[in-house]
Amino acid sequence: MMHKFWMSVYKEILLLKRDFGGLVILFIMPLVLIITITLIQDSTFKTVSESKIPVLFVDNDKGEIAGSVVKNLKESGSFEIVSQIDKKTITEELAQELVFKGKYQMAIVIPDDLSKDLQTKVNQNVEKILSNFGMEDSTKVAVAAKELKPKQVNLYFDPATQLAFKNGVKSAIDKLISQIETKSIYATFQDQLGETGEPLFEQKNFISFKEIVPTKNDKEIIPNSVQHNVPAWTLFAIFFIVVPLSINIVKEKSQGTLVRLITNPVPYAIVILGKTATYLIICMIQFWLMVVVGVYLFPYLDLPVLDINGKLLLMSIVALFSGLAAVGFGILLGTIAKTQEQSAPFGATSVVILAAIGGVWVPVFAMPKIMQLFSHISPMNWGLNAFYDVLLRNGGVLDILPEITLLLLFFVLTTLIAIIYDKKKRAV
């Protein structure tokens, strides 16, 4: 029996050697993919964080608030304020035209008399509060409160601007304006109370936010693009062996190779085991190549290094069980498909779908609720979560046990279905 198994493995290796171009693609394609995607994502992050975005600024206020907005935007280090073009002051109409045509990504328009009217409104509110407590200045002559209309800071965005960027900028501007209003209220209260010495009110933020990240040996573990991309695209590469595996099985059926093997006799289970062992080795080579690229090549490309200290064994276990799941799926597809025209397109499309719903391209939490439910049936999602448990959450064997168990069950189930289907088909 062992001899038949090894002969089956040898036969698979011979088939792969005859298709050397396809074998190279199995190894080169994932490496090109992971390098390209990681470079794009990392350079995009650097572009957003290191370069300054030109912002058209229209100041119709000419007051303190406009000055505060400009100062804070400059101090953020993310924006370059453009208030003149060709030595001419920008108007709101020109700013709108330039932004909507895509010449600039955004524009901020400060309305007329914003600082003056804000101070007037604050004065009215403070005087009303103090009068209710009987603390108004008796020497002041009562003046009818001037009716002030709410002011509006207009933001213009290029229609092609991403929603996340829009929301981030709007939130930052809203927070800035709120801080300016709060400081005006504190200053007016102090002025009305006749205090000119030390400030009566502490104007620093009492509530702040701090991200608490995992630590190891008293050092913070900051996730990076490499830690997300290596597991995700390793899984995509591993599952892509579904295509050549299913094609080879279909070839064996159409060329009569499988019939000759079984009449030897060689049980179909031995044939499957031979394919499993061979393609599992390919999966592991793919995984280790990805790790080598992440550890040794990425630093030369100015990318973060993949930290695998104390994690390689667990990562290899996850890759092994992910490979089993991929092999099981390829065997099932090759057993059921009748022609290469059926197996190749369906295999490639199904891998892409499993990757999409599994969180390889888009994080699961960002998907609609219905797609989040579907993500739980993707073996790529199980493998990805197991990799994240090891790389990002410092998990151990017990943490990845549920995911690798699901991957093993998926392999067993798909292989059993393939064996039963083949047996029934031959009995007809």
Side-chain angles (χ1 to χ4, degrees):
M1 190 66 73
M2 282 301 295
H3 177 71
K4 292 179 180 179
F5 166 72
W6 288 116
M7 286 299 100
S8 181
V9 171
Y10 179 66
K11 183 262 300 179
E12 295 297 329
I13 293 173
L14 287 177
L15 285 173
L16 288 171
K17 283 174 65 178
R18 290 172 186 171
D19 186 17
F20 184 74
L23 188 62
V24 169
I25 290 173
L26 275 177
F27 295 123
I28 300 301
M29 181 272 292
L31 297 181
V32 173
L33 190 63
I34 193 174
I35 293 170
T36 305
I37 296 295
T38 308
L39 277 171
I40 290 172
Q41 289 189 353
D42 196 70
S43 62
T44 301
F45 173 77
K46 286 181 179 178
T47 300
V48 172
S49 60
E50 294 177 4
S51 65
K52 293 184 179 181
I53 300 171
V55 175
L56 298 179
F57 191 81
V58 181
D59 181 11
N60 295 323
D61 176 41
K62 311 297 182 185
E64 183 183 350
I65 292 180
S68 297
V69 171
V70 171
K71 179 184 175 184
N72 279 273
L73 289 176
K74 287 182 177 179
E75 288 178 351
S76 71
S78 301
F79 302 100
E80 177 189 349
I81 303 300
V82 179
S83 56
Q84 290 185 335
I85 295 179
D86 296 331
K87 297 183 179 180
K88 292 183 180 179
T89 303
I90 303 170
T91 63
E92 183 169 357
E93 292 74 19
L94 178 60
Q96 178 179 343
E97 179 185 351
L98 292 173
V99 171
F100 285 174
K101 285 184 177 179
K103 301 289 180 66
Y104 288 86
Q105 196 153 11
M106 67 172 292
I108 302 174
V109 180
I110 306 296
D112 296 326
D113 301 323
L114 178 59
S115 300
K116 177 184 172 184
D117 288 354
L118 172 63
Q119 190 59 54
T120 302
K121 188 65 177 177
V122 169
N123 287 341
Q124 290 174 359
N125 290 339
V126 170
E127 287 173 4
K128 185 176 180 180
I129 292 171
L130 293 178
S131 66
N132 288 337
F133 285 96
M135 298 174 64
E136 72 275 19
D137 189 346
S138 58
T139 62
K140 282 189 176 181
V141 179
V143 179
K146 179 184 176 183
E147 185 67 29
L148 296 172
K149 293 182 180 179
K151 294 291 184 178
Q152 180 175 284
V153 175
N154 291 334
L155 301 177
Y156 294 92
F157 290 96
D158 176 5
T161 302
Q162 292 184 348
L163 184 61
F165 175 77
K166 285 185 187 180
N167 291 337
V169 171
K170 286 191 286 188
S171 175
I173 297 294
D174 182 61
K175 179 182 177 183
L176 176 59
I177 297 297
S178 297
Q179 288 177 343
I180 293 172
E181 286 193 54
T182 304
K183 288 181 179 179
S184 298
I185 293 170
Y186 283 149
T188 303
F189 262 113
Q190 183 158 327
D191 182 63
Q192 290 288 337
L193 293 172
E195 298 291 338
T196 57
E198 290 293 322
L200 290 175
F201 304 100
E202 176 61 55
Q203 296 189 21
K204 292 182 180 178
N205 290 337
F206 179 69
I207 300 174
S208 61
F209 297 91
K210 180 184 178 182
E211 180 186 3
I212 307 300
V213 299
T215 58
K216 187 176 182 181
N217 298 328
D218 295 327
K219 291 184 179 180
E220 291 186 343
I221 303 170
I222 308 296
N224 54 54
S225 58
V226 171
Q227 288 173 305
H228 286 283
N229 279 321
V230 169
W233 296 105
T234 297
L235 280 168
F236 187 76
I238 285 174
F239 271 83
F240 217 79
I241 66 157
V242 165
V243 178
L245 174 54
S246 61
I247 288 175
N248 278 346
I249 294 175
V250 172
K251 273 184 182 178
E252 287 181 348
K253 291 191 293 184
S254 61
Q255 294 173 356
T257 306
L258 189 60
V259 174
R260 290 197 297 271
L261 281 172
I262 294 173
T263 54
N264 266 346
V266 177
Y268 190 58
I270 294 295
V271 176
I272 285 180
L273 283 176
K275 294 181 184 297
T276 300
T278 306
Y279 281 89
L280 199 53
I281 291 171
I282 293 175
C283 290
M284 295 308 296
I285 294 174
Q286 286 178 321
F287 164 70
W288 286 320
L289 280 175
M290 294 286 203
V291 171
V292 168
V293 167
V295 173
Y296 297 105
L297 179 60
F298 278 178
Y300 290 101
L301 300 176
D302 197 26
L303 292 169
V305 65
L306 179 67
D307 180 17
I308 58 169
N309 288 331
K311 301 172 183 176
L312 184 58
L313 177 59
L314 286 178
M315 289 175 65
S316 299
I317 292 173
V318 174
L320 180 70
F321 282 88
S322 299
L324 280 173
V327 170
F329 185 48
I331 289 171
L332 177 61
L333 178 58
T335 304
I336 294 175
K338 295 179 181 178
T339 63
Q340 294 181 44
E341 288 74 16
Q342 289 179 356
S343 64
F346 183 82
T349 305
S350 60
V351 169
V352 169
I353 292 173
L354 288 174
I357 67 174
V360 170
W361 295 345
V362 179
V364 173
F365 68 82
M367 298 179 186
K369 292 293 183 184
I370 184 67
M371 295 310 296
Q372 290 184 26
L373 292 175
F374 278 119
S375 70
H376 296 304
I377 65 172
S378 171
M380 283 204 204
N381 181 254
W382 309 335
L384 193 59
N385 281 331
F387 271 126
Y388 285 166
D389 283 339
V390 175
L391 268 178
L392 301 174
R393 303 182 184 116
N394 292 320
V397 176
L398 292 178
D399 296 295
I400 65 173
L401 190 59
E403 286 87 2
I404 63 175
T405 301
L406 285 171
L407 291 167
L408 178 60
L409 289 175
F410 183 83
F411 165 71
V412 171
L413 182 63
T414 50
T415 305
L416 281 175
I417 293 173
I419 293 173
I420 293 169
Y421 179 86
D422 181 77
K423 188 176 181 180
K424 284 188 176 181
K425 189 177 177 182
R426 297 185 185 287
V428 175

